Amino acid sequence: LPSSGIVSGGAKVIGTGSATSLVAGSSTAVTATNQADVFSFTPSAARALIANTQITINQFDTAKDKFQFDLTTALGVTTLAALNGVDGISVQSDPFAGSTVVSFGADANGDVVVLTLAGVTTPASVIVEVV
């Protein structure tokens, strides 16, 4: 690190938006900010639980926001539509509800692990980074 030119005065935020971990076993809705947000999710953790994971993401902006999924298949950067059929993922657009539903298979209780993107009907426009 350089010894000069460093600004002091507390923690700084690098970049914009926020990183939000979607909690396995949660059914709490999440709302994107006005900045570029990253929503991270580990499906295997949700499938291992008995608690239901059914999270709705509101105000997801396909031009700025993205997902980061921890999957056994390493694909790098792709789209939500391209993940349909990968690692048991099912992606469906619901034009009647105006949303996209992403199913990750059953959890330990037999319930389906689901993320719903409210207001998004084009899964091909949703960027996903697979780690």
Side-chain angles (χ1 to χ4, degrees):
L1 294 174
S3 60
S4 65
I6 298 174
V7 177
S8 63
K12 302 293 181 236
V13 176
I14 299 173
T16 59
S18 63
T20 302
S21 294
L22 301 175
V23 179
S26 173
S27 60
T28 303
V30 176
T31 301
T33 68
N34 291 337
Q35 303 299 313
D37 296 307
V38 177
F39 296 94
S40 64
F41 186 64
T42 305
S44 60
R47 288 191 295 255
L49 296 176
I50 292 176
N52 298 341
T53 303
Q54 305 216 345
I55 302 170
T56 298
I57 297 97
N58 296 304
Q59 299 178 2
F60 188 94
D61 185 340
T62 58
K64 297 185 284 189
D65 301 333
K66 71 176 184 177
F67 280 109
Q68 186 177 65
F69 292 154
D70 187 354
L71 302 175
T72 57
T73 303
L75 294 175
V77 177
T78 188
T79 66
L80 197 54
L83 287 178
N84 191 39
V86 175
D87 282 356
I89 297 171
S90 172
V91 179
Q92 298 176 343
S93 177
D94 183 351
F96 301 107
S99 63
T100 295
V101 178
V102 185
S103 168
F104 294 93
D107 63 14
N109 196 33
D111 296 309
V112 179
V113 175
V114 174
L115 299 181
T116 301
L117 291 170
V120 176
T121 56
T122 53
S125 66
V126 178
I127 301 299
V128 180
E129 179 184 6
V130 179
V131 295

